[in-house]
Amino acid sequence: MAGISQHTSREELRELQSKRLRDTVEHAHENVPFYRERLDEAGVSPADIDGVDDIETVPFTTKADFRDEYPDGLFAVGDDDVLRIHASSGTTGKPKIVAYTEDDLDLWNAVMARSMDAAGIGPADTVQNAYGYGLFTGGLGFHGGAEELGATVVPTSSGNTQRQVELARDLESDAIACTPSYALYFAETADEMGVDPRDLSISTVLYGAEPCTEPMREEIEDRLDATGIENYGLSELIGPGVAAECREAQDGMHIWEDHFYPEVIDPQTGEALPEGEEGELVLTSLTKEAVPVLRYRTGDLTTLTSDECECGRTMVRMDSVTGRADDLLIVRGVNLYPSQIEDVVLEFDPIAPQYRIDLYREGTLDRLELTIELVDGFDGETAALREAVLDRLENTLSFRPDALDLVEYGTIERTEVGKVKRVYDHR
Ligand code: DLL
């Protein structure tokens, strides 16, 4: 099923996508009452879909649709054919439940193996998988991919960080798969244990599942003396394995377009945006059986490019996710993403990659407090540093936080399990 070369021409790829899109729309229309109603209402019959040029006639699917159809209203197959369930726990409301047939699991393993191969991982490597195992797709997704590739997988799951450090040292793990915040936590824990994380044999960090700016990647690479490779995905589409960076370029994540068709739209109007413009990523599954997904609004903001990549792969690349449409902080009329603040503050060497943003409402006004950590052993002058950070924020983002707290290294609570939380909205 995954039998297409990653170097295939874009024309050939488009033909394959068109055929697969027709099949998917037909499958969804025939087997999911939700899609049948939506398509019928929009006056779209599967027979009208000649190819990807017609995709804009298909209505969007949203997170709310997943929640409304909880638990299995979007399933296109019966229980007999479902082999596995996963779920993505939002911060509010019901989780989004997803299912996999045997072919879906094969597909998932294939795209994960492809992602890890692009990261330079091979059969001789030992991959320590510190993504959480369970309903979250990170653990089992990377697990299946590593096995498919023939690598050795150490299924540590998340947490138990001291033991993870010991295992990485004793088993000489070549790669660690985990969130970017956990990669830093892992390095800090090693330091505390008297193990220099740079001396470990880890040479690749397969990070993903949460936003990571370029300065944060550099920090991870430096702390672990390893190459950081970004991975992107979401449960609704399959889990990790939707897009992955190549080691050759480390310059955007190749979307595995033979299985997931990407579009970028203006989040306000829903209009398609030309390549190169930032907007909301919309994905359509092209080969999934249990839960086909048509034009899913991911909420993730990114930019696509089909410019030639130095690795030779022809599949489009997406930029690191700047933020989610729903992460947008509107503070006194200024629109900000937490990642923009991260980008600015981490440019300062004395600032450690740990921060939190607290939002309050005072009367009718918003108040944003930023807390950032100083590097370990910082003994410089904080007053000047504070002013420099405030000025840089103001010049770059036209925004000055109401309070900026520079705190000692180790003060901000770390996230050992799950996705990091950096924004606390008390409004
Ligand atoms: O986080 C799947 C995954 C696991 C991806 C491990 C990569 C590595 P969900 O829990 O369903 O699935 O969350 C999906 O996480 O819509 C994004 O908002 C965010 N996300 C995932 N990867 C990235 C990334 C997994 N590289 C949601 N950068 C997505 C920024 C990411 N955000």
Side-chain angles (χ1 to χ4, degrees):
M1 179 191 281
I4 187 173
S5 153
Q6 292 171 59
H7 302 90
T8 199
S9 73
R10 299 223 31 97
E11 294 71 43
E12 234 178 288
L13 185 61
R14 217 171 158 77
E15 245 172 66
L16 179 76
Q17 290 172 322
S18 289
K19 180 190 172 309
R20 288 181 168 178
L21 177 67
R22 288 195 293 271
D23 293 348
T24 296
V25 173
E26 199 175 295
H27 174 50
H29 186 268
E30 198 168 307
N31 298 300
V32 187
F34 165 86
Y35 282 119
R36 191 178 317 135
E37 277 165 32
R38 280 287 169 92
L39 289 162
D40 290 352
E41 265 170 38
V44 181
S45 144
D48 300 335
I49 307 289
D50 273 336
V52 290
D53 286 338
D54 298 319
I55 199 163
E56 283 177 42
T57 60
V58 175
F60 292 121
T61 307
T62 63
K63 288 177 200 294
D65 295 328
F66 265 85
R67 299 226 159 86
D68 293 347
E69 296 299 319
Y70 174 90
D72 58 359
L74 293 176
F75 290 13
V77 300
D79 290 351
D80 278 5
D81 292 316
V82 172
L83 258 67
R84 175 117 48 90
I85 297 283
H86 278 282
S88 130
S89 53
T91 38
T92 51
K94 295 236 171 66
K96 287 160 260 163
I97 303 282
V98 292
Y100 304 72
T101 63
E102 191 172 356
D103 282 352
D104 291 337
L105 289 176
D106 287 349
L107 159 67
W108 196 13
N109 290 338
V111 283
M112 276 311 300
R114 199 195 268 181
S115 300
M116 290 164 91
D117 170 67
I121 309 289
D125 289 319
T126 296
V127 179
Q128 183 160 330
N129 185 11
Y131 283 112
Y133 281 62
L135 285 172
F136 175 52
T137 50
L140 284 163
F142 276 83
H143 185 99
E147 286 192 349
E148 178 77 19
L149 198 61
T152 306
V153 56
V154 187
T156 48
S157 190
S158 47
N160 276 318
T161 308
Q162 295 208 354
R163 190 151 63 116
Q164 300 244 18
V165 172
E166 282 163 16
L167 282 170
R169 182 191 57 204
D170 301 343
L171 296 172
E172 299 182 356
S173 300
D174 300 289
I176 186 164
C178 60
T179 59
S181 55
Y182 190 76
L184 291 173
Y185 184 71
F186 175 91
E188 285 182 351
T189 307
D191 275 331
E192 279 162 20
M193 292 165 67
V195 175
D196 184 347
R198 297 176 57 87
D199 290 343
L200 295 170
S201 45
I202 293 172
S203 57
T204 310
V205 181
L206 299 162
Y207 69 83
E210 50 183 47
C212 182
T213 59
E214 230 15 66
M216 183 74 88
R217 183 218 298 259
E218 282 161 22
E219 190 78 30
I220 293 168
E221 293 190 322
D222 182 50
R223 293 271 184 103
L224 286 160
D225 190 21
T227 301
I229 300 287
E230 180 159 22
N231 284 267
Y232 170 84
L234 61 169
S235 315
E236 299 89 307
L237 266 296
I238 201 157
V242 172
E245 246 179 359
C246 57
R247 196 180 191 95
E248 295 90 329
Q250 280 185 288
D251 185 19
M253 296 171 274
H254 291 278
I255 300 183
W256 305 133
E257 279 184 282
D258 44 343
H259 301 288
F260 309 103
Y261 185 81
E263 300 167 83
V264 167
I265 61 162
D266 178 326
Q268 258 77 52
T269 64
E271 297 282 311
L273 291 176
E275 191 178 301
E277 274 186 40
E278 183 178 273
E280 180 177 352
L281 181 67
V282 170
L283 290 167
T284 299
S285 73
L286 296 175
T287 49
K288 276 199 22 210
E289 290 179 344
V291 189
V293 203
L294 304 182
R295 300 194 84 204
Y296 185 65
R297 292 191 60 159
T298 63
D300 296 324
L301 300 174
T302 188
T303 313
L304 299 181
T305 173
S306 57
D307 288 355
E308 214 171 288
C309 182
E310 68 181 75
C311 73
R313 288 178 183 82
T314 46
M315 300 201 190
V316 294
R317 281 170 290 153
M318 61 181 271
D319 252 1
S320 290
V321 173
T322 337
R324 295 165 70 115
D326 41 3
D327 278 350
L328 178 67
L329 308 173
I330 304 179
V331 187
R332 296 191 301 273
V334 180
N335 292 1
L336 285 172
Y337 286 99
S339 61
Q340 294 178 297
I341 297 179
E342 175 178 312
D343 235 339
V344 171
V345 299
L346 295 192
E347 286 296 325
F348 290 85
D349 288 340
I351 305 289
Q354 301 291 345
Y355 64 97
R356 65 176 275 163
I357 295 167
D358 286 274
L359 290 160
Y360 302 94
R361 169 138 316 138
E362 280 183 353
T364 54
L365 277 189
D366 297 315
R367 183 180 163 81
L368 185 148
E369 293 184 4
L370 176 61
T371 310
I372 48 185
E373 256 182 33
L374 295 162
V375 290
D376 204 6
F378 176 81
D379 61 357
E381 174 52 55
T382 50
L385 178 62
R386 246 165 140 272
E387 275 319 301
V389 172
L390 286 169
D391 285 349
R392 184 84 65 88
L393 284 168
E394 177 129 45
N395 292 335
T396 325
L397 305 176
S398 311
F399 175 78
R400 216 175 157 87
D402 303 280
L404 172 61
D405 244 348
L406 295 176
V407 297
E408 233 177 75
Y409 184 76
T411 312
I412 294 175
E413 205 185 321
R414 308 295 196 250
T415 306
E416 199 178 358
V417 174
K419 302 192 188 202
V420 70
K421 182 170 159 70
R422 303 203 196 271
V423 179
Y424 296 81
D425 197 338
H426 313 278
R427 293 177 293 184

